[in-house]
Amino acid sequence: MEVTAAVWVCLLALVIAGGSSSSSVEARKKSLKLDSFEFTGRDCRANVASITDFGGVGDGNTSNTKAFQAAMDSLAKYSAEGGSLLYIPPGRWLTSSFNITSSHFTLYLDQDAVLLAAQDENEWPVIEPLPSYGRGRDADGGRYSSLIFGTNLTDVVITGANGTLDGQGELWWKKYRAGQLNYTRPYLIELMYSSEIQISNLTLLNSPSWNVHPVYCTNTLVKGLTILAPVTSANTDGINPDSCTNTRIEDCFIVSGDDCVAVKSGWDEYGIAYGMPTKHLVIRRLAAIALGSEMSGGIEDVRAEDITAINTESGVRIKTAVGRGGYVKDIYVRRFTMKTMKWAFWMTGNYGSHPDNNYDPNAIPVVENINYRDMVAENVSMAAKLEGIGGDPFTGICISNVTIGLAEKAKKLQWNCTDIAGVTSSVTPQPCDLLPDQGEKQTSCNFPDDTLAIEEVEAHACSYSKRYL
């Protein structure tokens, strides 16, 4: 199939090439009427096609896996010719996993477009476990490829007019709980070894497991996502940056069966050997955050601000264990609002869960320079549960200007602190003795003044209108 280059005038005209899905990429052009649409992205694309040009059928029953892969293969040749965009029109597009195979590519889902994840596990390719994990998260060995998967890419945008990825995860959750899966469940979006990534303006429903998983990536922007799954669903984390550098996550609404954002960097001896940290991470205007528990490559320089957490276990969780190794350090959180919480703060050095019995019991994680400031909480059962590791305490904890309103049936012991060290200032209720009040000696905990490179990334408005050929 031949896709004609778009024409730049005041906007980028939409050009669609038509034809049947076949091994040949050359076919006659035909017109396709599309409403105008626009989005913001790092770069606009010069070559555009629709999934219908490759035989896609959006009836909710016809499998479109071959159509998606044919589209990816065909559009790959435009990577060095202005890039390409694949348009998904309104409809219900049933598919199993497909691979994005080219850089400088945009996948755009229209407002009423729904990608339905196939429920037959035999349709899902099995791929190798991540090298920093050594095995699948659900089972030994491999893992099912994600609904949208890609590796070794540059400048990829997955976006839309709030189009939907529906993982139809209930069947996967039931099989997982019943021990009926031989491999780890698929995620909705996973990009590996890639850079200049944007995932934005989509709704993600009922993922079989994690929703968005950038791993070994740099310069990633995740923005404007709505992620929904039952709170009883298994391991449906929202966004999990994993061994990534320069990541920005903002303006997302997440309700799921696990962590909203879980920052990771590998699991025990595999993560230690791989040695790739997650660092330079900005999180703004969303919900609760977890650091770990898989953090063996290290987590550092995380900046979270303007966060709202409602009716969840804790606002910020730091999870690790003996055998993890690695570190969690230089964590900065400010302007945090919490409502109806079990704990406002939670840290633990006893989170268990190892990939196998070969972890090193002498691999002790380091947790240091943790800063929380300018926070308000209400209806909280317990202010904090902070449990370090005996003989290797969590150090450099700083909490300032924090007011925690207690629930009607709050715990009598409000601060449960063991094996930690730090300071506090202007914190209510009064913290434990291991976090002494500094009074006027300290006004607020640190938050960096500098700007990370990912914060300076600018998006361009890309507009496409219908054109007849």
Side-chain angles (χ1 to χ4, degrees):
M1 174 178 295
E2 180 180 353
V3 179
T4 304
V7 178
W8 288 93
V9 190
C10 295
L11 50 77
L12 188 61
L14 177 61
V15 181
I16 302 294
S20 62
S21 176
S22 68
S23 57
S24 172
V25 296
E26 302 298 331
R28 68 179 181 84
K29 301 173 187 175
K30 67 177 182 179
S31 65
L32 179 65
K33 298 180 180 180
L34 296 176
D35 292 334
S36 297
F37 65 94
E38 63 180 35
F39 65 93
T40 56
R42 292 176 183 243
D43 287 295
C44 304
R45 312 304 182 192
N47 305 280
V48 184
S50 169
I51 189 62
T52 58
D53 297 325
F54 302 90
V57 179
D59 61 4
N61 296 308
T62 303
S63 174
N64 292 283
T65 306
K66 290 182 179 179
F68 273 103
Q69 206 54 61
M72 298 299 133
D73 294 343
S74 176
L75 295 175
K77 65 184 177 183
Y78 298 106
S79 178
E81 300 177 16
S84 59
L85 181 149
L86 181 64
Y87 172 81
I88 313 302
R92 295 172 64 80
W93 309 89
L94 182 68
T95 181
S96 63
S97 175
F98 61 89
N99 291 354
I100 296 175
T101 55
S102 63
S103 296
H104 311 295
F105 171 79
T106 295
L107 178 67
Y108 182 91
L109 277 69
D110 210 338
Q111 182 174 4
D112 295 318
V114 181
L115 296 193
L116 288 173
Q119 293 188 293
D120 183 352
E121 63 191 82
N122 294 317
E123 295 184 30
W124 294 78
V126 176
I127 59 178
E128 292 294 316
L130 294 168
S132 57
Y133 283 73
R135 52 158 283 174
R137 288 295 287 112
D138 295 344
D140 290 335
R143 58 206 185 97
Y144 292 108
S145 183
S146 297
L147 179 64
I148 301 174
F149 180 78
T151 185
N152 294 296
L153 302 169
T154 301
D155 180 22
V156 167
V157 177
I158 303 172
T159 190
N162 203 32
T164 299
L165 307 182
D166 188 344
Q168 302 198 100
E170 186 173 1
L171 180 64
W172 294 95
W173 306 331
K174 289 180 178 178
K175 287 186 175 182
Y176 168 70
R177 290 193 172 106
Q180 296 175 348
L181 294 174
N182 295 321
Y183 305 105
T184 292
R185 291 163 287 161
Y187 309 145
L188 288 185
I189 301 174
E190 181 178 69
L191 298 177
M192 300 174 58
Y193 304 111
S194 298
S195 64
E196 299 176 35
I197 303 304
Q198 176 182 324
I199 303 169
S200 62
N201 301 330
L202 297 168
T203 294
L204 280 62
L205 302 178
N206 300 322
S207 177
S209 184
W210 299 352
N211 281 267
V212 178
H213 186 223
V215 57
Y216 319 136
C217 291
T218 60
N219 300 321
T220 301
L221 171 62
V222 181
K223 182 174 182 176
L225 299 184
T226 299
I227 298 176
L228 303 174
V231 295
T232 56
S233 57
N235 313 116
T236 52
D237 294 17
I239 304 164
N240 290 6
D242 198 339
S243 294
C244 291
T245 299
N246 276 324
T247 306
R248 191 169 104 213
I249 304 170
E250 59 190 18
D251 301 315
C252 297
F253 179 80
I254 304 171
V255 177
S256 71
D258 209 323
D259 297 312
C260 295
V261 174
V263 185
K264 300 179 181 293
S265 67
W267 202 4
D268 285 8
E269 69 268 27
Y270 304 103
I272 294 171
Y274 201 75
M276 183 178 289
T278 288
K279 60 183 179 180
H280 309 322
L281 169 62
V282 175
I283 303 172
R284 297 174 178 149
R285 297 180 297 277
L286 41 79
I289 301 165
L291 306 174
S293 74
E294 303 92 340
M295 40 60 67
S296 300
I299 297 172
E300 64 179 300
D301 193 8
V302 177
R303 309 175 185 196
E305 57 186 339
D306 302 315
I307 307 298
T308 300
I310 300 174
N311 195 22
T312 188
E313 194 170 60
S314 60
V316 181
R317 296 198 259 181
I318 297 179
K319 307 181 290 185
T320 187
V322 170
R324 287 287 193 271
Y327 52 83
V328 177
K329 65 181 182 180
D330 304 336
I331 309 301
Y332 309 96
V333 182
R334 68 179 177 183
R335 299 197 298 266
F336 203 131
T337 300
M338 294 172 275
K339 300 179 180 180
T340 310
M341 316 293 291
K342 186 175 183 179
W343 305 294
F345 305 109
W346 180 44
M347 304 179 190
T348 180
N350 187 31
Y351 202 73
S353 179
H354 301 284
D356 51 42
N357 293 324
N358 297 322
Y359 68 91
D360 181 359
N362 295 314
I364 306 299
V366 173
V367 178
E368 63 184 12
N369 193 24
I370 312 298
N371 298 270
Y372 302 131
R373 62 184 257 194
D374 308 332
M375 306 172 79
V376 176
E378 63 182 51
N379 198 29
V380 175
S381 298
M382 186 174 182
K385 186 176 183 180
L386 310 176
E387 301 173 322
I389 295 172
D392 293 279
F394 298 171
T395 62
I397 298 169
C398 180
I399 305 175
S400 68
N401 190 27
V402 173
T403 300
I404 300 172
L406 302 180
E408 183 178 348
K409 296 182 180 180
K411 301 287 186 181
K412 291 183 179 180
L413 177 64
Q414 277 300 304
W415 292 77
N416 185 354
C417 306
T418 56
D419 299 303
I420 64 163
V423 295
T424 57
S425 176
S426 301
V427 175
T428 302
Q430 182 177 341
C432 57
D433 292 341
L434 295 177
L435 298 172
D437 189 343
Q438 300 300 290
E440 296 180 357
K441 297 179 183 178
Q442 178 179 333
T443 56
S444 63
C445 302
N446 292 329
F447 197 98
D449 294 327
D450 64 318
T451 300
L452 296 177
I454 191 63
E455 298 180 78
E456 297 180 342
V457 171
E458 295 184 359
H460 305 281
C462 302
S463 298
Y464 299 83
S465 66
K466 59 188 175 182
R467 179 171 175 174
Y468 303 92
L469 299 179

